[in-house]
Amino acid sequence: MKIHEYYFFDSLDEKEKIELEKISRKKYYKKDEILFYKGDEAKYLYLLVKGIVRVYKHDYKDNEVIIHNLMAPTFIAEIANYEEIPYPANCSFETDSEIYVIEYSEFKKRFLSKPEISMMLIKSLTKKIKALENFINYNITADSNIKIAQFLYENEEILSSLRQVKIASILNITPETLSRKISKLKKDKIIENDEGYIKILNHKKLKELFEF
């Protein structure tokens, strides 16, 4: 697909679509490649159109702490572009991926004055804020049962791409703790585990574990 065919740009007319094509290019990345590091200048607006990326930082012990896994199609770290600040975290690829790289200075000049485009970016930023709230909740909640149940429920669409060790890393808990909790969920027939990948069997019971 060409970049203007993604729903983010439905409001553009034919001339604007051509302009967007001129300031964009598609790039291909392999699993584990780095898109940007914390502190890099946000020269480009990135639209992930295929694959999964992770946005992460390192704690004071230099442990990797995952803030969010992003699944296509979505913009990546657009807050840095919008606020014109350096990237606040690192970003790398969980899978082989495709990205449209957009020259942000030209995008801002030509398109951000359009209310529909501005609203599209605001909605995308709102989703990122919710993701950050979830990240904070996961890390201040003492009960690992709640953290695990909420994560599985809210991220069902990417569970088929995440092994248990990766989920443990995202939730900042040990793989052993996650394994014990997963075994309990399997015993209660709430989930099943097929070769390390989790599938939800009973959404209602899973949701009851973190909503009171």
Side-chain angles (χ1 to χ4, degrees), residues 78-125:
E78 65 274 27
I79 184 65
N81 301 111
Y82 201 74
E83 294 291 331
E84 298 185 355
I85 60 174
Y87 289 114
N90 310 304
C91 181
S92 64
F93 295 91
E94 292 282 9
T95 65
D96 291 351
S97 303
E98 299 175 15
I99 281 186
Y100 270 107
V101 180
I102 306 167
E103 296 176 27
Y104 182 69
S105 60
E106 291 298 318
F107 182 84
K108 178 181 178 181
K109 182 167 61 177
R110 302 184 192 191
F111 299 109
L112 276 191
S113 60
K114 289 178 64 67
E116 300 91 340
I117 297 296
S118 294
M119 184 57 65
M120 176 269 293
L121 273 184
I122 289 170
K123 288 180 178 179
S124 182
L125 287 169

Side-chain angles (χ1 to χ4, degrees), residues 3-38:
I3 188 169
H4 70 258
E5 296 178 289
Y6 288 90
Y7 70 90
F8 305 103
F9 305 112
D10 285 345
S11 64
L12 299 184
D13 60 31
E14 291 304 314
K15 181 180 178 181
E16 289 169 332
K17 289 176 181 177
I18 294 172
E19 291 180 351
L20 180 62
E21 292 289 341
K22 289 180 179 179
I23 63 172
S24 308
R25 67 185 188 277
K26 184 183 280 190
K27 294 190 67 175
Y28 301 87
Y29 293 86
K30 295 292 185 181
K31 183 179 184 297
D32 295 327
E33 280 194 79
I34 300 294
L35 181 61
F36 54 76
Y37 288 103
K38 177 182 177 182

Side-chain angles (χ1 to χ4, degrees), residues 133-148:
E133 289 175 345
N134 288 339
F135 168 75
I136 294 170
N137 288 335
Y138 292 144
N139 285 279
I140 66 173
T141 301
D143 191 332
S144 57
N145 293 301
I146 294 174
K147 294 167 69 172
I148 293 166

Side-chain angles (χ1 to χ4, degrees), residues 43-98:
K43 294 181 179 180
Y44 304 104
L45 178 62
Y46 295 112
L47 175 60
L48 177 69
V49 295
K50 182 179 180 181
I52 302 171
V53 301
R54 75 180 184 274
V55 179
Y56 64 96
K57 291 186 175 183
H58 290 92
D59 65 16
Y60 69 98
K61 293 183 178 180
D62 204 33
N63 297 312
E64 182 179 296
V65 180
I66 297 177
I67 299 171
H68 197 196
N69 282 276
L70 300 173
M71 189 173 184
T74 186
F75 288 102
I76 302 172
E78 65 274 27
I79 184 65
N81 301 111
Y82 201 74
E83 294 291 331
E84 298 185 355
I85 60 174
Y87 289 114
N90 310 304
C91 181
S92 64
F93 295 91
E94 292 282 9
T95 65
D96 291 351
S97 303
E98 299 175 15

Side-chain angles (χ1 to χ4, degrees), residues 116-202:
E116 300 91 340
I117 297 296
S118 294
M119 184 57 65
M120 176 269 293
L121 273 184
I122 289 170
K123 288 180 178 179
S124 182
L125 287 169
T126 300
K127 290 182 180 179
K128 301 300 190 306
I129 291 171
K130 180 171 177 56
L132 181 58
E133 289 175 345
N134 288 339
F135 168 75
I136 294 170
N137 288 335
Y138 292 144
N139 285 279
I140 66 173
T141 301
D143 191 332
S144 57
N145 293 301
I146 294 174
K147 294 167 69 172
I148 293 166
Q150 187 174 1
F151 178 85
L152 296 180
Y153 187 88
E154 294 182 348
N155 295 276
E156 183 177 11
E157 72 277 6
I158 62 172
L159 293 181
S160 62
S161 302
L162 298 176
R163 290 192 173 274
Q164 286 184 206
V165 65
K166 178 59 67 175
I167 295 173
S169 175
I170 293 170
L171 296 178
N172 200 24
I173 60 177
T174 66
E176 294 78 13
T177 297
L178 179 63
S179 181
R180 289 196 302 270
K181 303 303 182 183
I182 291 298
S183 295
K184 178 64 166 59
L185 292 173
K186 286 171 60 180
K187 183 179 179 181
D188 294 339
K189 300 188 184 306
I190 295 175
I191 66 168
E192 67 178 10
N193 187 359
D194 183 16
E195 297 183 353
Y197 296 100
I198 296 169
K199 180 179 179 182
I200 299 173
L201 299 178
N202 192 320

